[in-house]
Amino acid sequence: MNRLRNPRLTFPSALLASLVLLASGAARAQPVPAAQDPRISAALQQISAARVQGTIEKLVSFQTRLTLSAQDPASIAAGHGIGAAREWIKSEFESYSKDCGGCLEVKTDSFLEPAGPRIPQPTQITNVYAVLKGSDPESARRIVLVTGHYDSRNSDTFDISGAAPGANDDASGTAVSLECARVLSKLKFPATVIFLTVAGEEQGLNGSEHFAKMAKSEGWDIEAALNNDIVGGDRSPQQDPSVVRVFSEGVPLAANDAAVRMIRNLGGESDSSSRELARYIAGVARAYSTQVKPMLIFRLDRYLRGGDHISFNEQGYAAVRFTEYREDYNHQHQNVRMENGVQFGDLPKFVNFDYVANVARVNAATLASLASAPAPPANVHLVTKKLENDSSLAWDTSPDGRATGYEVLWRATTSPEWEHSQSVGNATQATLPLSKDNVIFAVCAVDNEGHRSLPQVPTPQR
């Protein structure tokens, strides 16, 4: 037996040899597996493509959901404009809460957005959301969130009356939030889950910006924000219905100059909290064998484009964007029309409702896994007091007290996902015979049912 420097950890010689072999690249690396929870598996089966279709078609029925469109009582009663869409979404959340005995707190975040480039006059914008409060007093402070934007647009961002069906962009993402709420509200989780729908996205991310700033100012501990925008699986011949892209920032938008310098010094450009969230999503999808597989795109968003997850990134929260594999720009931000035999417009007939339901399953599995897991370990460090070829890590226990053990993860610096893991039991330090020069490390917390927290990449401790 070879004893590591942590007196609480004793690994056999064969294990130490295998660690060295893996670190050298001589052994084949595999992504770290995630655990499967039977409760979550059963919940995923309840997600319904028919319900998704009904939600999308209902949102389209409001003719336009442009943020600047009608919100007066008469228009709401007539079922026209963004005000009517808002009230319907709220009523859906309320119906889910009724079905679960009042388990959801349905809320609105309403504010007056001042005039700006895409807002000609001060305009009321309202985010609608439902809160599934965590069952554990300490864990309930942790929040995981799913969102989509319920506003829409056509070719003209100021056209308040023209048809703007927005079936894919973004009734599809709104349907993901609603369907996750309907299904997951039947379960209880230690941590809190928020099901959010925002407005103002097409005018400049107004709704998500206000919500994220509110959360930051009130000290909310948002551990993960999943933004679904254009997840309709447009039925073009080039579409791949087995893939959903997951975009994540590299160097955090919220990092200050000192943090950016540290990231560069450590080679941590691909280890933002958002990037760890993206990797976590991929692991969850493998664990639950989802029909849609995440394609991790290591970029903030599509080339020179943006979405609501950026509002959360700017406030320092881990947030990613889900988007279908291939967008069809004839069906996005277009007036509904026929030209030269080509149909333009974001219409329901181009949406693959089964695909949206499968994307919702990836989201629901991720939300449920994170909300079931213990809090991540705190203050994770790589001890760098002297030069050595072994690597020593130390951390504080998970703040919510629910962890029964910890795992050290590592991967090659060029690898997109975590490749190896080692359980270290209920310890708060470990030394591995691996050079910190050659790999990236992280530590995650695990409970007695195998739920894993988000990995925490260490900072140096001199």
Side-chain angles (χ1 to χ4, degrees):
M1 300 285 284
N2 287 320
R3 187 175 297 275
L4 299 187
R5 289 182 180 83
N6 182 350
R8 285 173 286 179
L9 294 178
T10 303
F11 294 154
S13 299
L15 174 57
L16 295 183
S18 67
L19 292 177
V20 174
L21 184 66
L22 289 170
S24 70
R28 185 178 179 184
Q30 295 288 341
V32 175
Q36 186 178 119
D37 183 329
R39 286 193 322 145
I40 298 174
S41 295
L44 301 186
Q45 299 305 310
Q46 301 304 310
I47 291 174
S48 164
R51 294 293 297 247
V52 165
Q53 179 175 356
T55 295
I56 291 173
E57 290 176 345
K58 181 63 178 182
L59 289 168
V60 169
S61 75
F62 299 115
Q63 296 98 53
T64 179
R65 305 186 307 279
L66 185 74
T67 298
L68 309 177
S69 64
Q71 303 186 53
D72 59 281
S75 296
I76 292 173
H80 178 82
I82 194 166
R86 175 192 71 217
E87 295 304 311
W88 180 79
I89 291 169
K90 185 170 179 284
S91 70
E92 283 295 286
F93 281 139
E94 289 169 343
S95 71
Y96 306 156
S97 187
K98 183 179 179 181
D99 289 344
C100 64
C103 70
L104 294 175
E105 184 180 0
V106 180
K107 307 181 75 173
T108 57
D109 165 36
S110 190
F111 61 98
L112 191 67
E113 180 70 20
R118 291 188 179 183
I119 297 182
Q121 60 187 18
T123 300
Q124 178 180 303
I125 296 178
T126 302
N127 302 316
V128 186
Y129 62 108
V131 181
L132 180 63
K133 189 74 173 176
S135 59
D136 180 86
E138 287 298 319
S139 295
R141 301 173 185 176
R142 298 169 42 231
I143 297 169
V144 293
L145 176 154
V146 61
T147 186
H149 72 86
Y150 71 92
D151 61 307
S152 67
R153 59 162 289 184
N154 56 29
S155 301
D156 181 359
T157 54
F158 299 100
D159 182 359
I160 64 173
S161 58
N168 194 352
D169 185 14
D170 187 32
S172 65
T174 302
V176 168
S177 282
L178 287 168
E179 191 64 359
C180 285
R182 186 183 70 83
V183 169
L184 296 184
S185 60
K186 299 173 183 177
L187 304 177
K188 292 188 181 299
F189 303 101
T192 295
V193 185
I194 292 180
F195 310 97
L196 173 64
T197 64
V198 300
E201 195 272 352
E202 302 290 8
Q203 309 307 117
L205 312 184
N206 308 106
S208 60
E209 179 183 27
H210 187 271
F211 191 92
K213 285 182 175 179
M214 174 190 70
K216 188 70 172 181
S217 69
E218 295 184 4
W220 294 12
D221 181 13
I222 297 179
E223 197 170 283
L226 313 181
N227 176 36
N228 290 266
D229 195 350
I230 313 177
V231 291
D234 185 274
R235 294 179 182 274
S236 63
Q238 298 82 11
Q239 188 64 268
D240 186 344
S242 69
V243 169
V244 62
R245 294 181 289 172
V246 179
F247 293 86
S248 59
E249 66 176 357
V251 176
L253 290 174
N256 59 28
D257 290 345
V260 171
R261 285 194 297 272
M262 179 63 74
I263 289 167
R264 288 172 176 159
N265 288 340
L266 301 178
E269 294 89 347
S270 193
D271 281 284
S272 66
S273 59
S274 298
R275 191 79 24 107
E276 304 310 343
L277 174 57
R279 294 183 176 108
Y280 190 97
I281 292 165
V284 167
R286 283 191 294 270
Y288 290 95
S289 302
T290 58
Q291 292 186 42
V292 167
K293 310 300 182 187
M295 173 189 284
L296 303 189
I297 308 293
F298 287 176
R299 175 173 279 155
L300 175 63
D301 203 319
R302 300 146 305 157
Y303 204 74
L304 296 178
R305 300 173 73 189
D308 288 317
H309 59 299
I310 293 175
S311 296
F312 292 92
N313 291 150
E314 289 175 339
Q315 299 305 314
Y317 293 123
V320 299
R321 176 189 180 125
F322 289 80
T323 296
E324 65 190 13
Y325 176 73
R326 186 181 189 276
E327 298 171 67
D328 188 327
Y329 303 113
N330 291 341
H331 305 154
Q332 190 179 123
H333 297 182
Q334 294 284 348
N335 288 340
V336 178
R337 67 193 189 279
M338 185 75 74
E339 281 187 9
N340 300 319
V342 176
Q343 177 70 65
F344 289 81
D346 191 353
L347 300 168
K349 68 180 181 180
F350 298 123
V351 174
N352 181 337
F353 303 112
D354 289 318
Y355 177 85
V356 181
N358 285 329
V359 172
R361 291 185 179 98
V362 177
N363 277 261
T366 302
L367 293 168
S369 296
L370 286 170
S372 299
N379 301 316
V380 181
H381 296 295
L382 254 176
V383 180
T384 56
K385 294 179 180 178
K386 62 180 180 179
L387 293 175
E388 57 182 339
N389 286 305
D390 291 351
S391 296
S392 296
L393 296 100
W395 58 91
D396 294 340
T397 57
S398 296
D400 63 3
R402 295 183 51 251
T404 57
Y406 299 89
E407 291 180 353
V408 176
L409 313 177
W410 69 95
R411 69 178 201 277
T413 61
T414 54
S415 297
E417 292 193 57
W418 297 110
E419 299 170 307
H420 314 291
S421 68
Q422 177 59 51
S423 173
V424 297
N426 196 16
T428 56
Q429 54 184 324
T431 298
L432 278 73
L434 306 171
S435 172
K436 64 184 71 64
D437 297 340
N438 302 337
V439 299
I440 304 291
F441 285 108
V443 181
C444 69
V446 186
D447 70 8
N448 57 10
E449 295 181 6
H451 300 117
R452 289 180 173 91
S453 74
L454 283 171
Q456 301 296 296
V457 174
T459 56
Q461 182 181 68
R462 299 184 189 277

